[in-house]
Amino acid sequence: MTESPIPPNEQERLRALEKYDILDTLPEREFDNLTRLASYITGSPIALISLLDEHRQWFKSRIGLQAAETPRNISFCQHAIMSNELFEVPDAMSDRRFRKNPLVTEDPNIRFYAGYPLQTSEGHNLGTLCVIDNQPKALTEEQRQMMRYLAEATISLIEARKTNQDLANAIRYKNEFLSNVSHEIRTPMNAILGFSELLQRTNLTEEQTTHLEAISSAANNLLVVINDILDLSKNEAGSLELRLAPMEPRQVIKHTIQLISQMAFEKRLNLRCIIAPSIPEQVMGDAARLNQIVLNLLGNALKFTQKGSISVRLECLDQTDHDIFLRLSVEDTGPGIPPENLERIFQRFEQGNEEHDRKTLGTGLGLAIVRMLVELHSGTTWAESEVGKGATFFCTLRYPLVDPSSKPENTPAETMKDDHTTPSLGDVRILLAEDNILNQKLATFALKKLGVELVIANHGQETLDLLQEQTFDLILMDLEMPVLDGYQTSRIIREEMGLDIPIIACTAHVLAEEKERCEAIGMDGFITKPYKPDVLGKEISRVLADVS
Ligand code: ADP
């Protein structure tokens, strides 16, 4: 056996190989197809895609060989990566370099070897596509040519795999970034909305009330934008799903119309709602998402229409034993949309009419969200318009029919109702684990109104210390805290301290996984920031009632 050959750019080559993140990964069919072809075309029982790291050759794909890797210093491939052409050994027994090689003298008894280097676009030979036989032989010119094509296809596949991984990582980073940014924005927003709400209940002059309403409205608008961006990014990551439950479409639409009726009245617009009698009382649907679709379309109609009317229609297009196909349309008598923009306006950040858009505030996300949500309902969206006369937006929505044995879910009218009627909680001691001072103040104000006694811990460890010394009826646990976060703290409370004190998680993140994680740790309630004092009070009452 001769000395092991080392390529001149070995360190760079190893770094490049590492960058492809392919070593020790599971077999992939696309690679196996290439080795299968190489084996077939050259009539060889063994075909491999071999990658050489510092000490071994590892096979990304192998046909006709048991071993997943062999030491590099006995490999034939270490010679093959030294050149940029096919490396061929017609008979290993009569080749000085190989005749004593254990791969020749023992299993798999290599006699013939032909390997084509897998060269990256940067010129690094990561390994080979090779074929092996236990008979001496030579390839035909045509077979050599084919080996080259297959090696080129292999390296293209390795590079495409890397590009895919990079893309997936970029999308993941972007989503994490958006989620973090939205958290950073939602936390102070919690304080802005919460304090505005508390201020609204005090004696204010008319001017102060107007200013306060402007603050609340701006903060709420900002929250909608943040939620829209989060929805779009979740959809891109494939994690946006409909939460199906028995839903009353008639009620959802009526409620949404109610939300904008005051503004329509102020603009003296006629607001009509026509719901076909054939629409079933209940379907399996996501009430919040239907509400969002209708609200976005209605919001635009209201924003752009200065006089005339807005009509919402819900019709039944088709019904099978299991599903119903509905068509929702929102028609207005606004300025309309030029035909060349009818499709473009459904894209993100696209606006369709410079003249009108300058006068109206908007992000160009509303219709993109509508289309995305409608697609989750296996439906389509389109718009029809005559400039100067108005526009009609259509969407089709597929809903499974309700299994008669299930119960109806709350309509948004019920879930969103904020009736300010939370009863006083009375003699209750609450431990608030929260590091943000504004949020501490907000919770203090809100809870004082409910008549509870509040103790504040600035981080997780302080929470645990207080629990050792005092008794509480409930913990409001912020999930993002320094020292020990809310998850770690709750886990210690449940598992190490063995306490079953009710815990309500408070978070600025709105990811479904987060709620599930909290439940898995054994938390009893969940509330997202920014929360309204009433909503907080209700969640506390609910959790206390559940555990008593
Ligand atoms: P925006 O936040 O800008 O309203 P949308 O995605 O909701 O974003 O709408 C995109 C564009 O479509 C708007 O900027 C506007 O040009 C056009 N558009 C949407 N709805 C209407 C409508 N009812 N009448 C006229 N133009 C509309």
Side-chain angles (χ1 to χ4, degrees), residues 416-445:
M416 291 175 191
K417 201 155 55 182
D418 189 11
D419 54 10
H420 301 267
T421 55
T422 321
S424 164
L425 292 170
D427 204 8
V428 173
R429 272 196 105 213
I430 292 184
L431 176 57
L432 173 72
E434 166 71 68
D435 62 311
N436 183 296
I437 289 180
L438 277 178
N439 284 338
Q440 287 178 358
K441 282 195 180 153
L442 178 61
T444 310
F445 276 117

Side-chain angles (χ1 to χ4, degrees), residues 287-514:
R289 294 308 188 178
L290 175 59
N291 174 65
Q292 202 177 351
I293 293 171
V294 183
L295 198 58
N296 281 4
L297 294 178
L298 266 179
N300 278 347
L302 188 68
K303 188 164 78 173
F304 290 101
T305 310
Q306 302 313 329
K307 62 174 200 287
S309 63
I310 299 174
S311 310
V312 182
R313 280 191 184 79
L314 189 65
E315 301 154 83
C316 177
L317 291 182
D318 194 12
Q319 182 168 351
T320 68
D321 287 347
H322 306 289
D323 293 312
I324 184 156
F325 243 107
L326 304 181
R327 184 169 71 179
L328 171 79
S329 65
V330 176
E331 183 181 358
D332 66 48
T333 53
I337 300 150
E340 65 275 17
N341 289 343
L342 281 176
E343 189 46 40
R344 194 168 64 90
I345 51 173
F346 286 97
Q347 287 162 20
R348 291 170 188 199
F349 305 110
E350 285 290 351
Q351 302 195 313
N353 186 327
E354 273 181 25
E355 190 196 332
H356 295 284
D357 295 338
R358 244 182 290 116
K359 294 185 219 149
T360 55
L361 285 174
T363 54
L365 284 177
L367 292 175
I369 298 271
V370 167
R371 176 162 280 182
M372 175 191 86
L373 292 175
V374 168
E375 281 169 5
L376 284 180
H377 286 85
S378 319
T380 49
T381 36
W382 72 100
E384 292 172 6
S385 173
E386 206 175 316
V387 175
K389 294 210 163 149
T392 311
F393 285 82
F394 296 92
C395 47
T396 56
L397 302 158
R398 187 183 67 81
Y399 285 110
L401 293 168
V402 171
D403 168 1
S405 59
S406 47
K407 270 176 45 206
E409 201 208 22
N410 291 339
T411 60
E414 285 159 347
T415 48
M416 291 175 191
K417 201 155 55 182
D418 189 11
D419 54 10
H420 301 267
T421 55
T422 321
S424 164
L425 292 170
D427 204 8
V428 173
R429 272 196 105 213
I430 292 184
L431 176 57
L432 173 72
E434 166 71 68
D435 62 311
N436 183 296
I437 289 180
L438 277 178
N439 284 338
Q440 287 178 358
K441 282 195 180 153
L442 178 61
T444 310
F445 276 117
L447 292 168
K448 224 196 269 167
K449 290 209 170 270
L450 301 169
V452 305
E453 190 189 337
L454 187 69
V455 177
I456 294 175
N458 292 298
H459 51 73
Q461 188 54 50
E462 212 172 301
T463 311
L464 298 177
D465 295 345
L466 280 163
L467 280 173
Q468 301 274 14
E469 297 158 9
Q470 306 178 24
T471 47
F472 298 94
D473 297 301
L474 181 139
I475 306 176
L476 270 180
M477 180 79 75
D478 180 31
L479 291 178
E480 303 87 15
M481 286 185 295
V483 189
L484 273 180
D485 68 21
Y487 295 112
Q488 294 165 314
T489 313
S490 304
R491 199 192 51 73
I492 295 173
I493 294 173
R494 291 282 182 260
E495 289 177 17
E496 294 177 25
M497 300 172 78
L499 296 178
D500 58 3
I501 176 169
I503 304 177
I504 296 179
C506 303
T507 175
H509 287 284
V510 278
L511 304 174
E513 306 87 84
E514 192 142 77

Side-chain angles (χ1 to χ4, degrees), residues 5-277:
I6 300 287
N9 56 354
E10 180 61 0
Q11 287 314 314
E12 276 172 46
R13 192 193 71 82
L14 287 173
R15 269 198 297 279
L17 178 60
E18 196 181 332
K19 207 181 64 187
Y20 282 93
D21 207 7
I22 188 170
L23 289 176
D24 302 305
T25 54
L26 290 172
E28 286 168 62
R29 204 167 57 102
E30 292 79 4
F31 288 99
D32 290 343
N33 287 344
L34 292 172
T35 39
R36 226 168 261 132
L37 266 175
S39 159
Y40 177 77
I41 289 170
T42 61
S44 311
I46 298 177
L48 307 164
I49 291 173
S50 161
L51 299 168
L52 274 76
D53 72 7
E54 203 177 346
H55 300 296
R56 59 181 179 149
Q57 64 168 342
W58 175 83
F59 306 126
K60 175 62 193 169
S61 170
R62 54 198 150 99
I63 300 289
L65 188 75
Q66 282 300 318
E69 59 184 53
T70 75
R72 174 169 170 170
N73 62 0
I74 58 168
S75 72
F76 282 58
C77 294
Q78 65 179 332
H79 299 274
I81 63 164
M82 297 303 291
S83 93
N84 294 332
E85 296 302 322
L86 185 75
F87 177 73
E88 212 173 331
V89 179
D91 184 0
M93 276 306 215
S94 55
D95 190 318
R96 277 187 40 251
R97 292 171 297 180
F98 300 108
R99 66 173 169 244
K100 290 188 188 148
N101 186 312
L103 297 174
V104 175
T105 55
E106 294 159 35
D107 190 60
N109 299 106
I110 299 178
R111 289 293 292 274
F112 165 79
Y113 171 94
Y116 210 96
L118 299 174
Q119 188 171 76
T120 66
S121 47
E122 286 163 352
H124 300 299
N125 291 345
L126 302 181
T128 70
L129 169 78
C130 64
V131 288
I132 289 170
D133 207 330
N134 47 15
Q135 308 292 332
K137 71 177 183 192
L139 296 184
T140 65
E141 234 1 272
E142 207 176 9
Q143 286 171 325
R144 290 186 182 123
Q145 197 54 264
M146 293 296 162
M147 280 296 284
R148 195 177 122 202
Y149 294 153
L150 288 174
E152 283 171 5
T154 307
I155 195 71
S156 301
L157 198 55
I158 292 176
E159 299 209 319
R161 188 180 176 283
K162 166 98 175 79
T163 309
N164 274 346
Q165 268 175 357
D166 289 349
L167 262 177
N169 283 340
I171 290 175
R172 215 188 59 235
Y173 290 143
K174 190 193 73 181
N175 287 337
E176 277 169 14
F177 171 77
L178 281 174
S179 164
N180 289 339
V181 167
S182 97
H183 165 236
E184 294 305 321
I185 299 175
R186 281 172 150 265
T187 304
M189 198 82 79
N190 181 33
I192 295 173
L193 283 169
F195 280 115
S196 304
E197 168 120 355
L198 289 174
L199 260 183
Q200 262 159 12
R201 297 187 199 179
T202 61
N203 286 332
L204 298 175
T205 65
E206 209 170 297
E207 195 183 358
Q208 284 169 331
T209 307
T210 315
H211 292 172
L212 199 55
E213 276 167 7
I215 293 175
S216 294
S217 144
N220 272 316
N221 286 343
L222 197 49
L223 211 55
V224 170
V225 175
I226 296 164
N227 287 340
D228 279 356
I229 292 178
L230 259 180
D231 276 349
L232 284 167
S233 76
K234 268 198 263 176
N235 188 48
E236 235 171 62
S239 61
L240 191 71
E241 283 174 4
L242 296 176
R243 295 172 168 239
L244 297 187
M247 164 190 102
E248 299 179 0
R250 217 176 244 108
Q251 294 310 322
V252 177
I253 291 190
K254 281 187 181 161
H255 165 70
T256 316
I257 289 178
Q258 223 172 28
L259 285 180
I260 68 143
S261 60
Q262 181 61 28
M263 285 183 278
F265 176 75
E266 282 164 15
K267 284 182 98 172
R268 295 178 190 287
L269 297 173
N270 251 326
L271 196 51
R272 278 198 295 255
C273 172
I274 305 128
I275 299 182

